[in-house]
Structure formats: C-alpha cells, structure tokens
C-alpha cells in the first residue's frame, strides 16, 4: 500500500488535549425554529472523533435500548447541521413500463420504467432494471448514478451472473446538481429544508418503495451504492432507511464516508466543499469552516446510523481528494458501534490502487461483500484490512 504524508500527523496529537470543554452538550432552548439544537457559540470543542455513545444528557449508552435513543439524537443532529430533512414518503408512487427487452448474452431482461409520485404526481424519474432469468426472488444492487451513464456492461454482467438485479436511476431528475431549486422535488415540498444530497437520498428511498412491491425482488437483500457525490447520497440514504440491507458508498470522501476532523494529504476540506457545492448541504454546515472541531459529530456517526445493517466503504488509494485515510478512521470508529450491537462482521472497508472511479475492482468487492452478508458465502476478499495500519487512533473512548 502507498504511504502518504497526511495532515493527521499534525491533527491527531491534539487528541491528547481532548478539551475539558468537550463535556456533553445539552440542548439549548433557543435553537433555530424551535429545533432545540445549539448554535456554534454554544457547542464545545472536541478535538477527537466525538463519542457516539455519549448522550445529550451527559449519560453514556449502557444497552441496546439506550442506543436506540442515542441513534435518534445522532440522526437529529446530522439532519439539522449537515443534510437538512427529507420529505415523507408519498402514498401515490406508481410505475409505468416504457420498454422491456431480452438481453440474450446476459440471460436477463432489461426493463425501463418511469416512476411518478408526489403532489399532483408532479415528480418523476426513470429506473432501469436488469433482471436475471428466473422467478427469483433476487437480491438487488441499486445505483443512483445514471446521470453519468449506465453501469459498465461487464459490471452488470458480473452482478447478473451472481443472481443480482441491477437497478439504475438518475438522481439528478430528483434534484439538479446545482443551486437551482425551481426543478425536481423542491417546488413540490417548499416547506422542507432538504438539500440536494437529501433529495438524492430520497430517490434511493423511492426506488426501494417500488422494489418492495415486486415479486422478483428479495426485500431482505437490497443493497445501494453510488460513486463520489452519489456515494454521499447513498450513505445518507442507507443511514435513514432500515429497509436497506447493505449500504456501500464508493470514493465518497468529505460529506460521505471520510472524516471531517482527520484529513489526509491533498484532500478536500470543509471550506473547499461548502464553497464549491453549498447546495449539497444544509447552510448551517458552512458555519463550521474553521471550527470543524465544534461539529457535534463526525462521519463515523452517520455510519453508526446504518448499524447493525451491513455497510461497506470502497476506496482508491490514489484518490487523495476523497481522503482515504479519513474513511479508514471513520470505519474504525463506527466498528465500535457495530461490535457493541454484536454485528462487528457486518461493517467492512476495501482499498485498491488507483484513482477516483467506481471500477470493476470496487464492484467485485461490493458483490463479494453482498454474497458474504446476504448468503454467508465464502469469499477470498478481505474487508478488515487497513491501508494505513500505523495511523494513530482518532479517538480515546470505547464502546460500553
């Protein structure tokens, strides 16, 4: 594995200074819109990855019942400060088949659908399914990156050969990748404070809505994935929807699987991402530029929301902008939550050489992990191998 000269060499020694001001914060009664969330001036400094087991009342999680309450607290913070909230599921989702054809070389059927939903059926997006021959029920891999083109034929073939449905949708039909709030979901839900990433995550949820109605789909074995900004949306979607059995962001970086506090060499940071893509996030996140150690969570907290369901991060070692060491750090921290819940084998990480892409190596790792998690199949791929084994630990707390 490659060795980098990461910024954690400067950042992590500060962890020993874990500030006395990093005591548990109590909900302020003057939070914006009655949210109860404190503003930046009321948030303590926490140099290390915040303790996911420390509840807002100052007590620590003791058992699974406490964790359920703490999980609600973490979700509320993540949505308030980072992603905004999502609209509720519409009751009127419908699908219209546009085309269906046999793909003989795959022994599969390709179906193209239009999903409609929302107020006055105003919202719509396309869904392409590649379904193995037979009656199923089949596990499914959902990818929201159709805006960048179809999943590569070799990757689709690999999934179908293993008996997986591949479902592809265009997340930008739900929200354009811009600050334009006159299109997509925004005009239909003007009262919702969601962001582009939230809208894209909502698209994963609506795709799952449809899949759950289909007899050829195994509703217990639905996996979602996405690359880069699509990976950020996939991780958020998996954190918020317990029907999703496996969440697998790829190269998702800052605002995805990468840490906010632990930054490697040449990686994106809070200022860069909120300057270039402010519409991806709740505007409150920008307040933490220069104050990231006052953010009351880090991305291990988002990963913890997925637990105990399966989760895999796939990363390229040459993809420095996406902060591969920061993704390792959040994996190690989130694994504490998984182990506390008795699901330590359900979280994984996979590194490869190479740059910023979701390639056949990443896809094969995803399918191997899905085979392992869904069917208990023996696979050769390791999902606990750290690319940076000498990296200092980014936290001092332990699971109860």
């Amino acid at each position: 594995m490659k060795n980098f000269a990461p910024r954690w060499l400067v950042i992590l020694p500060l962890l020993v200074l874990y500030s006395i001001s990093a005591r548990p914060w109590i909900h302020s009664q003057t939070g914006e819109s009655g949210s109860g969330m404190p503003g930046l001036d009321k948030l303590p400094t926490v140099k290390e990855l915040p303790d996911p087991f420390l509840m807002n009342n100052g007590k620590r999680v003791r058992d699974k019942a406490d964790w359920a309450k703490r999980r609600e607290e973490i979700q509320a913070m993540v949505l308030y400060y980072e992603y905004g909230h999502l609209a509720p599921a519409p009751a009127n989702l419908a699908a219209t088949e546009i085309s269906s054809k046999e793909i003989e070389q795959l022994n599969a059927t390709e179906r193209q659908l239009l999903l409609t939903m929302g107020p006055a059926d105003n919202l719509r997006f396309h869904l392409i399914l590649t379904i193995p021959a037979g009656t199923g029920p089949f596990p499914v891999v959902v990818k929201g990156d159709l805006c960048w083109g179809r999943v590569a034929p070799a990757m689709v073939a690999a999934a179908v050969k293993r008996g997986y449905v591949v479902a592809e949708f265009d997340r930008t039909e739900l929200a354009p990748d811009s600050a334009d709030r006159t299109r997509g979901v925004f005009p239909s839900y003007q009262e919702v404070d969601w962001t582009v990433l939230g809208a894209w995550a909502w698209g994963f949820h609506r795709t799952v809505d449809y899949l759950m109605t289909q007899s050829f789909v195994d509703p217990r074995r639905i996996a979602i994935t996405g690359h880069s900004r699509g990976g950020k949306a996939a991780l958020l979607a998996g954190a918020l929807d317990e029907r999703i059995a496996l969440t697998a962001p790829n190269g998702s970086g800052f605002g995805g699987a990468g840490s906010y506090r632990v930054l490697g060499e040449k990686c994106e940071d809070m200022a860069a991402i909120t300057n270039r893509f402010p519409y991806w996030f709740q505007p409150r996140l920008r307040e933490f530029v220069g104050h990231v150690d006052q953010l009351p969570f880090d991305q291990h907290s988002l990963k913890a929301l997925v637990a105990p369901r399966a989760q895999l991060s796939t990363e390229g070692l040459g993809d420095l902008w996406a902060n591969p060491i920061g993704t390792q750090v959040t994996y190690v921290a989130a694994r504490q939550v998984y182990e506390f819940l008795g699901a330590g084998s359900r979280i994984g990480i996979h590194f490869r050489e190479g740059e910023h892409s979701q390639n056949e190596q990443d896809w094969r790792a995803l399918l191997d992990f899905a085979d392992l998690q869904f069917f208990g199949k023996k696979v050769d791929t390791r999902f606990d191998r750290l690319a940076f084994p000498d990296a200092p630990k980014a936290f001092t707390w332990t699971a109860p």
Side-chain angles (χ1 to χ4, degrees):
M1 298 293 185
K2 294 180 179 178
N3 291 319
F4 303 121
R7 276 178 270 175
W8 51 260
L9 290 174
V10 175
I11 296 170
L12 291 186
L14 295 175
L15 299 185
V16 298
L17 301 177
Y18 187 44
S19 171
I20 58 172
S21 66
R23 60 189 179 275
W25 55 270
I26 307 301
H27 280 328
S28 164
Q29 297 304 309
T30 59
E32 186 174 335
S33 302
S35 69
M37 297 289 180
L40 179 65
D41 61 333
K42 298 292 194 302
L43 290 167
T45 295
V46 183
K47 296 292 185 182
E48 67 175 13
L49 299 187
D51 184 352
F53 299 105
L54 186 62
M55 302 181 75
N56 291 347
N57 62 9
K59 297 180 180 180
R60 292 199 87 232
V61 168
R62 298 165 299 175
D63 52 32
K64 291 183 179 180
D66 283 346
W67 172 252
K69 298 174 184 176
R70 179 54 179 161
R71 186 181 184 278
E72 291 180 359
E73 291 181 346
I74 293 172
Q75 179 173 307
M77 290 189 294
V78 165
L79 295 179
Y80 180 79
Y81 292 109
E82 187 171 15
Y83 297 110
H85 299 79
L86 277 61
N92 60 337
L93 186 142
T96 301
E97 186 170 283
I98 297 172
S99 66
S100 178
K101 63 180 180 180
E102 299 302 314
I103 310 295
E104 293 183 3
Q105 61 269 34
L106 294 182
N107 195 23
T109 301
E110 180 185 280
R111 296 176 61 197
Q112 298 203 22
L113 308 166
L114 179 66
L115 302 188
T116 58
M117 70 216 72
D121 298 317
N122 281 336
L123 303 178
R124 57 192 60 203
F125 66 93
H126 293 84
L127 178 65
I128 302 176
L129 303 174
T130 306
I131 308 167
T135 58
F138 303 110
V140 184
V141 178
V142 182
K143 195 170 190 294
D145 299 339
L146 190 57
C147 48
W148 290 332
R150 296 287 303 274
V151 175
M155 292 161 63
V156 174
V160 169
K161 184 178 180 180
R162 298 196 196 198
Y164 286 79
V165 175
V166 177
E168 305 174 64
F169 75 95
D170 180 353
R171 62 180 186 274
T172 63
E173 290 187 282
L174 291 151
D177 195 359
S178 71
D180 181 5
R181 295 182 73 91
T182 67
R183 294 184 290 144
V185 299
F186 301 120
S188 295
Y189 295 99
Q190 295 185 42
E191 74 284 3
V192 179
D193 71 338
W194 54 0
T195 59
V196 165
L197 285 176
W200 292 347
W202 196 78
F204 278 103
H205 296 166
R206 304 293 69 83
T207 300
V208 172
D209 286 347
Y210 170 76
L211 292 172
M212 295 287 283
T213 69
Q214 301 303 299
S215 62
F216 63 85
V217 169
D218 185 338
R220 301 169 303 157
R221 296 184 172 99
I222 295 176
I224 65 171
T225 190
H227 172 58
S228 193
R229 63 199 67 182
K232 302 181 205 299
L235 181 55
L236 176 60
L240 300 179
D241 192 334
E242 296 187 26
R243 300 172 302 172
I244 295 167
L246 167 57
T247 301
N250 181 85
S252 56
F254 211 85
S259 173
Y260 286 138
R261 284 170 170 81
V262 181
L263 306 178
E265 179 188 12
K266 297 180 181 179
C267 76
E268 193 169 32
D269 60 18
M270 183 76 76
I273 200 168
T274 57
N275 278 332
R276 187 176 179 189
F277 303 107
Y279 48 87
W280 283 357
F281 302 100
Q282 223 292 332
R284 295 183 190 94
L285 189 66
R286 184 166 171 75
E287 297 175 14
F288 292 91
V289 173
H291 306 280
V292 71
D293 54 6
Q294 287 180 261
L295 194 65
F297 56 87
D298 209 304
Q299 292 304 84
H300 69 298
S301 308
L302 183 64
K303 288 182 171 182
L305 297 181
V306 180
R309 292 168 292 123
Q311 178 178 173
L312 174 70
S313 297
T314 46
E315 304 295 320
L317 286 168
D319 189 7
L320 301 185
W321 190 246
N323 194 13
I325 191 170
T327 297
Q328 174 178 297
V329 162
T330 61
Y331 157 75
V332 171
R335 191 170 60 187
Q336 290 280 318
V337 175
Y338 273 80
E339 291 174 351
F340 171 72
L341 296 174
S345 64
R346 307 217 74 199
I347 184 170
I349 195 164
H350 183 268
F351 293 96
R352 59 161 172 79
E353 298 293 338
E355 306 297 329
H356 191 59
S357 66
Q358 187 172 27
N359 63 21
E360 291 186 39
Q361 287 178 272
D362 303 310
W363 191 255
R364 183 169 58 252
L366 166 56
L367 294 176
D368 282 352
F369 194 70
D371 278 349
L372 176 65
Q373 298 296 329
F374 290 168
F375 304 109
K377 292 183 179 180
K378 183 179 179 180
V379 297
D380 294 330
T381 309
R382 286 276 301 276
F383 296 106
D384 59 353
R385 183 174 288 133
L386 302 182
F388 311 94
D390 298 326
K393 199 173 181 181
F395 54 93
T396 56
W397 45 264
T398 59

